[in-house]
Amino acid sequence: MTEAQRILIVEDEPLIAMMLEDFLDALGKQVAGTVETVASALDRVAAGGIDAAILDVNLRGGEKSWPVADALAAADIPFVLATGGDTLAPGHTSRPVLAKPFTMDGVERALAAL
C-alpha cells in the first residue's frame, strides 16, 4: 500500500480532534474529515476518499467505534485504534494502537505501522 495521505479522524473530544488535525498537518497528511459519532463516521467511510483512519475506541455516550472499525476493515482501509487502554474487540487486536495521551511522535509511529 502507498503511504496513507487522507486520514479520517473519529474523535468525540473537540480539543483532541483539533490536536490530531494539527499533528496530521505537521506530518504532511491531509485530514479527510473529523467526525464524532459512529453514524457520521459510517457515512464518511461510505462516501470514500479515505486512505486511513484514526479511530477513538470510546465515543460520547458510551458509544464504541467497533462498527466503524468493521466498516473500514470491510473496505480494506487501514486504521489506528486510539485508546486509553481499552480492551480491543476480537478481530481488531492486531491493529496498530495509538495510546493516550497523544504525541506527534506517537501519531507518526502509528501511521507508519499501517
Side-chain angles (χ1 to χ4, degrees), residues 16-92:
I16 294 173
M18 286 188 292
M19 180 183 67
L20 285 171
E21 290 170 357
D22 289 345
F23 286 174
L24 291 175
D25 184 56
L27 293 169
K29 309 295 184 187
Q30 178 183 346
V31 176
T34 302
V35 295
E36 57 185 43
T37 65
V38 167
S40 56
L42 291 173
D43 288 346
R44 189 62 193 84
V45 171
I50 299 167
D51 295 323
I54 297 174
L55 196 57
D56 186 9
V57 171
N58 285 309
L59 300 173
R60 191 166 288 123
E63 194 174 39
K64 298 283 189 184
S65 59
W66 301 125
V68 183
D70 293 340
L72 289 164
D76 202 28
I77 298 170
F79 58 92
V80 172
L81 296 169
T83 177
D86 302 286
T87 301
L88 302 183
H92 298 298

